[in-house]
Amino acid sequence: MRGLGHAEAAENSIHLSYEIVALTPTCARRWIELPAEEAKKPYVEVSGRKGFGVKADDLIDRLETAALSKCNSGTRR
């Protein structure tokens, strides 16, 4: 960021590195449309460049909806 002339933004940013974030093909299909070659793999690497990912807001919305549904149904499992 600093190299692009955004020194203040660079000062206020923290980079969190990680090795790999992956989803099973079954899980990935719930969130994204998978190309056939990706669906054959044992796991799908999350990649913003490829458009494979889950937005945190979408995940939270689905979790809230599922939890509310369970609470309203009286199901404990």
Side-chain angles (χ1 to χ4, degrees):
M1 292 173 96
R2 196 176 322 284
L4 295 172
H6 300 284
E8 184 178 347
E11 287 297 320
N12 294 318
S13 298
I14 298 171
H15 176 75
L16 302 174
S17 63
Y18 52 87
E19 292 297 320
I20 187 172
V21 176
L23 302 171
T24 64
T26 301
C27 181
R29 276 191 290 274
R30 292 179 183 168
W31 296 95
I32 55 179
E33 191 170 325
L34 281 180
E37 64 274 5
E38 290 293 328
K40 293 176 186 175
K41 295 179 179 179
Y43 61 88
V44 177
E45 292 183 33
V46 173
S47 169
R49 291 184 186 119
K50 292 181 182 178
F52 302 155
V54 178
K55 293 179 182 164
D57 287 340
D58 294 343
L59 175 61
I60 291 168
D61 289 346
R62 284 195 187 190
L63 291 172
E64 287 176 343
T65 299
L68 188 58
S69 176
K70 290 272 187 181
C71 289
N72 290 337
S73 72
T75 303
R76 291 185 175 231
R77 292 186 152 214

